[in-house]
Amino acid sequence: MCVGLLCCCIGIQAQAKNPRYLSYIDQYSPIAVEQMRQYKIPASITLAQGLLESGAGTSKLAKKSNNHFGIKCGSGWKGRSVRHNDDARGECFRAYKSPKDSYVDHSLFLVNGARYAFLFKLDVTDYKGWARGLKKAGYATDPSYANRLITIIETYELYKYDRVGKKGIPRVRGKSKSKAQADPHQVYIANNLAYVIARDGDTFKSLSKELGISAKKLISYNDLHSGYTLESGDIVYLKSKYKKALKQHTVHMVTPGESMHSIAQKYGIRLKNLYQMNKKGADYIPEVGDQLKLR
């Protein structure tokens, strides 16, 4: 009787695995392992994202555009594109010649994305850390995104591909890791903007090299000048700030030690707009107790 019950349970578990998912894994796991060895992104994460984002290759984006990861165009995309309804109507999504191109671009998207830099400090087999990190960094708006990835990985035992991929990860020849590569800055999200916290010895040049954003842009994004020396604890935004604060922030009362620049950085507002909103000239110095409009 126990044997029969065991057989029944095994049968139910086998049926719980979607044949379409199993076929997708068989087809794309070699590419995911290859990408892991080249870019140190867990194969399990790549496969789980591919399965989830493309519906195991059956989504409209995957079928017509070979886009298996739901990656949108972004300002720097120069390749083919298609329009698709997602968070808004008619959004721009990347289109590829083949699914493999989509897998390669997914790797590059994570490697070159400053907000994902902290993920590469994790062990390459830490799929749970990667799943939660992707959600934290804003890869998807679904609040259950991390849990869904983890469930897929564990249901289909995708973690076994991480072990295969880890064995073949090559060392970089002829180059030693710089301090920045060995200990990259963690990327945080606040005011819907990605930023890092400057450390002792940081310069715009060193951050530019690590984050893949030109020093000139970093200086501009943060309302600074080329001669400014970064100090430990400085907020350094990785994209242009807003003209006004988010809706939940309407007024700020000045506290000791604050400047217009530090207030603008705190709320992710462009400095010139903070002055304009409050009808202040460039010579204005905020005093403790002053109330400043943020939007």
Side-chain angles (χ1 to χ4, degrees):
M1 187 172 181
C2 290
V3 173
L5 180 60
L6 179 61
C7 291
C8 179
C9 290
I10 292 173
I12 292 172
Q13 289 177 346
Q15 291 174 7
K17 292 187 178 182
N18 189 322
R20 192 171 70 239
Y21 273 44
L22 294 172
S23 177
Y24 185 95
I25 293 165
D26 285 343
Q27 184 173 359
Y28 295 109
S29 58
I31 300 176
V33 169
E34 175 189 330
Q35 293 301 299
M36 177 177 174
R37 288 172 174 167
Q38 187 168 357
Y39 295 105
K40 299 185 180 179
I41 300 166
S44 60
I45 286 291
T46 300
L47 283 169
Q49 285 194 281
L51 285 162
L52 183 57
E53 296 287 349
S54 76
T58 64
S59 71
K60 186 176 180 179
L61 271 176
K63 283 184 172 181
K64 292 190 175 182
S65 309
N66 290 313
N67 188 331
H68 284 235
F69 298 93
I71 299 179
K72 297 178 183 179
C73 293
S75 59
W77 179 245
K78 305 299 182 184
R80 293 172 53 239
S81 64
V82 293
R83 293 288 172 176
H84 181 72
N85 296 337
D86 190 54
D87 295 327
R89 291 181 61 84
E91 290 191 276
C92 182
F93 284 82
R94 301 181 183 188
Y96 308 96
K97 291 182 179 180
S98 69
K100 183 174 182 179
D101 287 344
S102 177
Y103 269 72
V104 172
D105 190 52
H106 169 262
S107 297
L108 295 174
F109 180 77
L110 296 181
V111 168
N112 296 325
R115 59 178 171 166
Y116 302 114
F118 70 97
L119 290 170
F120 292 87
K121 295 171 67 175
L122 300 175
D123 188 280
V124 76
T125 60
D126 183 7
Y127 63 86
K128 290 183 179 179
W130 269 80
R132 291 165 183 153
L134 285 168
K135 175 63 186 74
K136 179 181 177 181
Y139 188 98
T141 56
D142 180 1
S144 63
Y145 191 74
N147 288 335
R148 294 177 73 183
L149 290 179
I150 292 169
T151 297
I152 291 172
I153 289 169
E154 295 182 345
T155 299
Y156 293 90
E157 300 178 335
L158 301 183
Y159 45 76
K160 65 186 180 183
Y161 296 105
D162 294 341
R163 293 195 288 267
V164 174
K166 188 174 183 179
K167 292 179 182 178
I169 292 178
R171 293 183 178 180
V172 178
R173 297 179 181 177
K175 293 182 181 180
S176 58
K177 285 189 176 181
S178 67
K179 184 177 180 181
Q181 289 173 319
D183 186 21
H185 290 71
Q186 179 166 346
V187 179
Y188 302 93
I189 303 292
N191 306 314
N192 289 338
L193 292 168
Y195 70 95
V196 297
I197 302 295
R199 301 189 294 225
D200 288 334
D202 281 343
T203 64
F204 290 116
K205 185 177 180 180
S206 67
L207 289 178
S208 172
K209 185 176 181 180
E210 176 188 333
L211 300 168
I213 303 171
S214 75
K216 186 176 181 180
K217 285 185 177 180
L218 290 175
I219 292 168
S220 175
Y221 293 160
N222 292 278
D223 298 310
L224 295 170
H225 55 85
S226 58
Y228 180 82
T229 300
L230 287 170
E231 297 181 2
S232 178
D234 279 349
I235 293 173
V236 181
Y237 286 107
L238 308 183
K239 61 181 293 187
S240 182
K241 293 182 291 181
Y242 302 121
K243 293 182 178 180
K244 56 186 178 181
L246 300 181
K247 290 182 179 180
Q248 61 264 40
H249 303 300
T250 56
V251 177
H252 175 80
M253 182 174 289
V254 179
T255 59
E258 289 188 314
S259 65
M260 289 294 275
H261 183 266
S262 68
I263 295 167
Q265 290 296 91
K266 180 176 182 177
Y267 295 101
I269 307 172
R270 297 173 194 169
L271 185 58
K272 67 176 182 180
N273 292 107
L274 183 60
Y275 276 109
Q276 290 171 358
M277 276 188 288
N278 290 279
K279 299 179 180 179
K280 303 292 185 182
D283 58 344
Y284 167 73
I285 299 176
E287 296 183 0
V288 174
D290 284 356
Q291 287 195 346
L292 296 174
K293 293 180 180 178
L294 301 175
R295 55 179 297 111

